[in-house]
Amino acid sequence: MTTLLSRNRDYRLLWGGQVFSETGFSTSMIAFPLLVLAVTGSAAQSGLVLGAVAVAQLVAGLPAGALVDRWNRKRIMLVCEAVQALAAASLLAALWWGVASVLQLVAVAAVMGLCRALFEPAEEASLPRLVTVEQVPSAVAMNAARSNAGQLSGTALGGFLFALGRAIPFVFDVLTHVVAFFALLFVRLPVAVTERAPARHLGREILAGLRWVWHQPQVRVTALCAISLNLFFSAYYLVIIVLAATRGVPSGEIGVMAAMLGGGGILGALAAPYLHRRFSPYTLIIGVFWALTVLTPLAVFVRSGYLMGVLFAAMAFLPPAANTTISTYQLLLTPDGMRGRLGGVLGVAGGVAAAAGPALGGWLVDALPGTTAVLVCAGAITVVTLLATCHPVLRRFPRTLEPEPEFADRKGNPDG
């Protein structure tokens, strides 16, 4: 965390609380399928439970963004943490009494997905009011590092805790959300005037958010580029996992390989503030595309899970810097009363790509030999790269953006 950002008490509280919350969430996401398998022995029902999280986030994404622009954002985040703790506690009670069912697991997972759909745009929309203008890029990058670290640690911890006892991961999850709740209580978050505006028709507010995103060229084009890249890389990731397994790579090496992808993302997020200052937005954005274009075909020649992990880490290093540049621009460009809907729209778009990518990868694995499937994904990424490289909107992407008047009183104040 940069020096200025480390002196921002309120951001430290929010960031530290969410380290716990995201680790607990990832722990539960690993424990859910393990618990379903232990209770029912059905892999299909395990997928149903995890799918409930993704479906809830997607279905609630657009309405949640509009509600974030209506309601007090700190209150939304507090309620989300409290509800997640209560949901996990209800599962603990069911396990204690021996009455846990797949239906309850699906319900708990859906509640957690709904809370994530509300919390994420609320936190993102609050960021420019919590930190100074100069701190926004560092805050965006540190949030990305936190998410990667929480996912990595939670994934590793979930399996270990489940081995100690079926209920232990969910005890841990309850405790993490309680810690995050109390950290949030002490965060001083200024309330925008727009958050107190009279509520209008929810559907019209959602459409207004969609129209606003579509009519901002930089937002629209970068979103479409990110969706395309995420779609084909998610497919590529699944193809690589299957290819590694068919080549006889031990499961332990495959786990390390996947972890190194997250590790590369963490290192990239830590380097992102420096790269954001050092390079132009166009260079950073196009650099991500060309790095993936060059690196993805190399998997055809890699037989070691560890070497593939190094390749994954290299692929994951640059995206956080490009995301920092794009997210900073979007947050400073977007009026406060529209930021929740911006987060909701982009979250749903990214969620669709994340869901469709593995499905595409599975189809490619079934239809084509492994190396051919890799090259198809790499070829699709190359096409997207060429289109992005020549796109005039990306070539003119501004390096800086004058903040809106709402930021004037926050400029240069490290205490927010």
Side-chain angles (χ1 to χ4, degrees):
M1 195 177 300
T2 62
T3 303
L4 282 177
L5 199 56
S6 67
R7 294 205 300 267
N8 188 317
R9 166 194 174 275
D10 298 305
Y11 179 77
R12 285 201 318 268
L13 282 170
L14 176 60
W15 191 89
Q18 287 310 297
V19 168
F20 285 95
S21 181
E22 293 191 15
T23 302
F25 179 80
S26 296
T27 298
S28 287
M29 290 305 101
I30 290 299
F32 269 132
L34 295 175
L35 180 59
V36 175
L37 283 171
V39 172
T40 69
S42 170
Q45 292 186 6
S46 294
L48 180 66
V49 173
L50 286 182
V53 179
V55 170
Q57 283 191 264
L58 283 177
V59 171
L62 293 178
L67 292 174
V68 164
D69 287 334
R70 280 188 180 187
W71 296 342
N72 181 289
R73 290 163 183 166
K74 178 180 175 180
R75 194 171 297 135
I76 289 174
M77 292 188 282
L78 283 168
V79 170
C80 286
E81 291 296 351
V83 169
Q84 287 182 91
L86 290 172
S90 74
L91 184 54
L92 284 177
L95 288 170
W96 176 264
W97 292 106
V99 294
S101 65
V102 173
L103 182 61
Q104 183 184 9
L105 287 167
V106 169
V108 170
V111 167
M112 289 184 173
L114 288 171
C115 289
R116 299 283 287 187
L118 276 165
F119 190 99
E120 290 173 1
E123 182 190 19
E124 185 176 291
S126 300
L127 205 58
R129 290 194 163 274
L130 199 63
V131 302
T132 67
V133 176
E134 295 86 351
Q135 293 170 350
V136 170
S138 295
V140 169
M142 289 304 301
N143 282 4
R146 181 195 74 200
S147 295
N148 281 319
Q151 184 175 10
L152 267 179
S153 58
T155 300
L157 196 57
F160 171 74
L161 293 178
F162 190 84
L164 297 178
R166 293 180 182 180
I168 303 300
F170 303 103
V171 172
F172 178 75
D173 194 19
V174 171
L175 293 175
T176 59
H177 290 302
V178 169
V179 169
F181 177 87
F182 280 103
L184 265 169
L185 276 179
F186 295 97
V187 173
R188 298 168 299 191
L189 179 60
V191 179
V193 173
T194 51
E195 291 178 350
R196 297 191 295 267
R200 297 179 298 276
H201 188 277
L202 186 63
R204 286 197 289 270
E205 290 179 352
I206 293 171
L207 287 175
L210 289 167
R211 283 196 299 269
W212 192 90
V213 169
W214 186 255
H215 288 127
Q216 304 301 318
Q218 279 82 8
V219 177
R220 182 182 70 246
V221 171
T222 52
L224 290 174
C225 286
I227 291 166
S228 302
L229 198 61
N230 287 340
L231 172 68
F232 294 121
F233 186 78
S234 297
Y236 173 86
Y237 178 78
L238 180 65
V239 168
I240 292 299
I241 296 297
V242 174
L243 182 62
T246 57
R247 287 177 171 177
V249 176
S251 58
E253 282 190 38
I254 293 177
V256 171
M257 181 175 78
M260 290 179 75
L261 179 69
I266 293 172
L267 292 176
L270 294 176
Y274 169 78
L275 296 175
H276 171 77
R277 293 191 300 269
R278 180 69 179 81
F279 296 101
S280 71
Y282 177 74
T283 300
L284 286 175
I285 295 168
I286 297 305
V288 171
F289 285 91
W290 279 106
L292 290 177
T293 297
V294 171
L295 294 174
T296 48
L298 299 181
V300 171
F301 309 103
V302 177
R303 301 280 172 171
S304 163
Y306 299 123
L307 287 178
M308 190 63 223
V310 172
L311 196 60
F312 269 164
M315 293 177 191
F317 182 76
L318 279 181
N323 289 339
T324 295
T325 294
I326 293 168
S327 296
T328 299
Y329 176 86
Q330 290 171 346
L331 283 172
L332 297 183
L333 171 73
T334 307
D336 186 85
M338 192 67 71
R339 287 194 192 114
R341 279 166 282 182
L342 171 72
V345 171
L346 298 182
V348 167
V352 170
L360 174 62
W363 179 82
L364 289 172
V365 167
D366 287 339
L368 302 170
T371 54
T372 305
V374 170
L375 293 176
V376 168
C377 292
I381 290 172
T382 301
V383 171
V384 176
T385 296
L386 293 173
L387 292 173
T389 301
C390 300
H391 204 290
V393 169
L394 293 181
R395 296 180 71 87
R396 296 194 300 267
F397 201 98
R399 176 180 283 274
T400 58
L401 180 70
E402 284 299 317
E404 295 185 42
E406 65 180 276
F407 291 96
D409 62 342
R410 300 183 58 72
K411 187 171 182 179
N413 177 11
D415 294 327

